[in-house]
Amino acid sequence: ATGIALGMLATIYKDRGEFSTAIDLHRRAIAIYEKNLGPDHTRLISQYNNLGLALKESGDPPAARTALEHALAISQNKLGPENTVTATVLGNLGITLQESGDFTGARDAYERALAIQEKRLGPDHQLVATLLNSLGLVLGDIGDYKEARKRIERSLAIYENTVGQENPKTFE
């Protein structure tokens, strides 16, 4: 129960922009989970994922990448390489890699996450659209404008069909 409470409290601090406190709380929760449940328990996935996001927001991309890769390893091993949780971690890893300038790594993470979500949720789901948009942006960063345009146009079509043309999501 302490690990859960620490993780929730850490999320509140992260949302308030108090990253150093959030990071400390996530690390405390991780230590509790590892001691009591082992180093690869599924509860650690969200803790490492959220730690990675807090580290990214605090301006420490290398540490964020390490935390997210750890969450990914546990998720792939315990939940499977095609689980939606694995896809979520891959998406967050993609964001971190893209923001740190590793566009090839980001593209690979987004493509893997996209394949999982398309298979699990179908080709016209909003999460698929979000990943298509992210993938399109990183393809633009790489200079592959033709493929970037295809992904972003498909993303827009999904948003228009699922939430309508007037929804702010359509214009993100």
Side-chain angles (χ1 to χ4, degrees), residues 103-104 107 135-149:
F103 302 130
T104 302
R107 180 194 65 210
L135 178 57
L137 293 173
V138 82
L139 287 167
D141 289 336
I142 291 170
D144 190 348
Y145 302 112
K146 181 180 176 185
E147 289 300 316
R149 181 178 174 184

Side-chain angles (χ1 to χ4, degrees), residues 15-57:
D15 291 345
R16 292 181 48 181
E18 297 180 38
F19 303 117
S20 121
T21 302
I23 291 164
D24 289 341
L25 291 169
H26 279 304
R27 286 184 173 146
R28 285 178 53 200
I30 287 168
I32 290 169
Y33 284 133
E34 287 180 342
K35 178 181 177 186
N36 293 295
L37 302 174
D40 62 348
H41 194 277
T42 55
R43 286 196 179 172
L44 287 162
I45 299 167
S46 65
Q47 290 303 317
Y48 275 109
N49 181 71
N50 293 337
L51 172 63
L53 295 174
L55 287 162
K56 178 186 75 70
E57 293 297 320

Side-chain angles (χ1 to χ4, degrees), residues 89-166:
V89 176
L90 280 165
N92 290 333
L93 180 60
I95 293 166
T96 300
L97 294 172
Q98 185 174 8
E99 288 181 5
S100 65
D102 181 356
F103 302 130
T104 302
R107 180 194 65 210
D108 294 345
Y110 288 141
E111 286 176 343
R112 288 178 59 202
L114 177 61
I116 295 166
Q117 297 296 40
E118 281 181 314
K119 183 176 181 179
R120 301 292 240 157
L121 304 172
D124 298 321
H125 194 277
Q126 287 182 38
L127 287 175
V128 169
T130 299
L131 285 164
L132 283 164
N133 188 62
S134 296
L135 178 57
L137 293 173
V138 82
L139 287 167
D141 289 336
I142 291 170
D144 190 348
Y145 302 112
K146 181 180 176 185
E147 289 300 316
R149 181 178 174 184
K150 283 174 43 179
R151 299 310 190 290
I152 293 171
E153 285 177 348
R154 183 170 163 224
S155 171
L156 178 60
I158 293 169
Y159 282 135
E160 286 177 343
N161 288 331
T162 58
V163 297
Q165 292 182 351
E166 300 301 319

